[in-house]
Structures are given as C-alpha cells and as structure tokens.
Amino acid sequence: MDYITLALAKGRTAKDTFKLLETAGIYFNDFHEKSRKLVFYNDDQSLKLIFVKAVDVPTYVEKGAADIGIVGKDNILEAQADVYEMLDLKLGKCKFVVAGKYPESDPEKKRNLTIASKYPTIAKKHFEKKGTSIETVKLNGAVELAPLIGLSDMIVDIVETGNTIDENGLTIFEEIESISTRLIVNKASFATKSASINLFINNLKSALE
Ligand code: PRP
Ligand code: MG
C-alpha cells in the first residue's frame, strides 16, 4: 500500500475530526490538544498527518504536498482549488450569509456596495450572479465590525449559532449556502494511489454511518 499524506485543518473542527478518524480505526497517538507538533504518524506509519491552517489546506492538496485534505467547504470555495471533493464529513455545519445593519445596508438598494469578508472571492461571485457590482475589503477576522464602523455596507461571513450577528446588532439579508467539513483529494494522487485513498475514504464513510 502507498503511504498517504493527510492535511488537516487546525481550529474548531480539529477535535471532532480526530474523533471521527478514531471511529474509523485511525489513531495518531502522539496528538494531543496542547501539542505544538505539526507532523504526526498513525500506528502503522501508513498515514502522515500535517496539521496546517485551514485556509492553506486546499493549497497543500492542489499542489500535491498532501494527497488528502480535511477542511471546511468555505476554504475550498474561496481557494477555488482544482481538487476532487469526495466526502462530506458533516462536521462544522454552518452557512454563508450576507449580513449588515438594517435598514442602512439594505442590499436591494443597488448602489455600489462595499462588502467586507474573509472570503472576497465568494462574495464577488455571489453578487456577480445577481448582477450587482461590489467592492470587497479583505479582513482576516472580526468581520462583523466592518458595517458598524462604516468600513463596509455589508459582510459576507459564516454563521453558526447566530450569536456574533445578534450580539453586534446585525441582520441576515441572505443565505448563500450551507457549509461543512469536506474531504478533498489531489487529482494526480487519486490516480496513482487509488487503492490506499479509496480504503481511507471507505473507512471514514463507515465511521460516519
Ligand atoms: C466565526 C465567523 C463568525 C462566527 C460565527 O468567527 O467568522 O464571526 O464565527 O459563529 P456564531 O454564529 O456561532 O457566532 P471566529 O470566531 O472564527 O473569529 P474570526 O472571525 O475573528 O476569525
Ligand atoms: Mg468571526
């Protein structure tokens, strides 16, 4: 069997992903939450896990530095990476929304809108589809602040519980799409390491049932 490199996104869904891998019989014994290590091997050394920033997972997989990636659909869409999306792991469920202050930033007022987002590509594509031209302001977090201090008219961001939107007095104007953690595969690896990759995917599929 070929050995596989797996890029796993650090952050909120990492713990649940490790749990799912364990249910699938895949253990990385030296992983623990406080560890600062970035590379781990499973019991039989058939899997090498690299623990990277979520936003970078699609890059590792597209470039073939990792054969498989486990990362949120948000980062896959934003990166527009040329990879195969093979499985929905149904973790980290949330949705992309357009939000702002009501009524000041009503999106139906078709003037030239400024949208702040960690996901400017997704924001552009969404508004393009509707025939609305926008300017984007790329932020790296705390995006909800932008419409409150006049940096943007609206935001495109992720909503999970809705608490951040509520506590900052914003209104959701539109839901763009649902997102969750997905398994992606490098296109060349899928051809050259098909047996190992299919085995890995089937193990995870069984664990999900
Ligand atoms: C994410 C996201 C929203 C919030 C949604 O931000 O960008 O702000 O979580 O979750 P909620 O609907 O449950 O409130 P995160 O906490 O990751 O911080 P950041 O935006 O500053 O990176
Ligand atoms: Mg946030």
Side-chain angles (χ1 to χ4, degrees):
M1 279 285 192
D2 298 295
Y3 110 115
I4 291 176
T5 301
L6 169 67
L8 196 146
K10 286 182 181 181
R12 288 188 193 205
T13 55
K15 209 171 148 194
D16 287 340
T17 306
F18 276 104
K19 262 195 223 149
L20 179 67
L21 288 168
E22 286 185 5
T23 308
I26 301 160
Y27 295 90
F28 295 92
N29 286 325
D30 48 352
F31 176 82
H32 60 89
E33 269 173 74
K34 292 205 174 113
S35 171
R36 300 290 300 161
K37 267 180 83 156
L38 299 171
V39 182
F40 303 91
Y41 294 89
N42 70 333
D43 287 352
D44 66 6
Q45 308 274 307
S46 60
L47 278 170
K48 176 184 187 175
L49 184 146
I50 54 171
F51 203 33
V52 302
K53 284 204 100 167
V55 67
D56 294 330
V57 170
T59 309
Y60 280 91
V61 176
E62 183 175 35
K63 304 274 184 210
D67 304 300
I68 295 178
I70 294 181
V71 66
K73 179 77 176 173
D74 52 331
N75 289 304
I76 301 168
L77 286 171
E78 182 63 22
Q80 298 193 275
D82 188 17
V83 296
Y84 294 129
E85 187 184 312
M86 307 285 298
L87 195 59
D88 184 350
L89 301 182
K90 308 223 165 80
L91 304 171
K93 283 188 185 171
C94 45
K95 57 197 172 186
F96 263 126
V97 303
V98 179
K101 276 205 302 182
Y102 185 81
E104 295 93 311
S105 49
D106 187 342
E108 300 312 315
K109 284 185 202 159
K110 299 245 171 173
R111 66 204 147 73
N112 203 5
L113 296 169
T114 303
I115 309 292
S117 188
K118 277 193 270 191
Y119 308 94
T121 303
I122 292 165
K124 272 229 161 73
K125 285 198 150 193
H126 173 70
F127 281 94
E128 252 167 32
K129 262 192 224 154
K130 294 155 41 106
T132 310
S133 74
I134 61 160
E135 293 287 323
T136 53
V137 178
K138 162 88 190 210
L139 292 177
N140 293 298
V143 177
E144 290 83 357
L145 194 56
L148 300 179
I149 57 160
L151 180 60
S152 75
D153 295 299
M154 289 186 282
I155 61 169
V156 165
D157 200 20
I158 286 170
V159 168
E160 190 183 358
T161 60
N163 291 342
T164 313
I165 289 281
D166 287 348
E167 289 186 25
N168 291 291
L170 299 180
T171 299
I172 295 174
F173 293 121
E174 263 183 280
E175 293 187 0
I176 301 178
E177 73 175 277
S178 297
I179 49 192
S180 56
T181 304
R182 309 290 162 94
L183 185 145
I184 55 175
V185 178
N186 172 269
K187 288 191 164 177
S189 300
F190 193 61
T192 57
K193 300 183 178 180
S194 62
S196 320
I197 290 175
N198 279 315
L199 179 66
F200 181 82
I201 292 174
N202 286 333
N203 283 342
L204 280 189
K205 268 189 193 158
S206 309
L208 281 169
E209 278 162 12

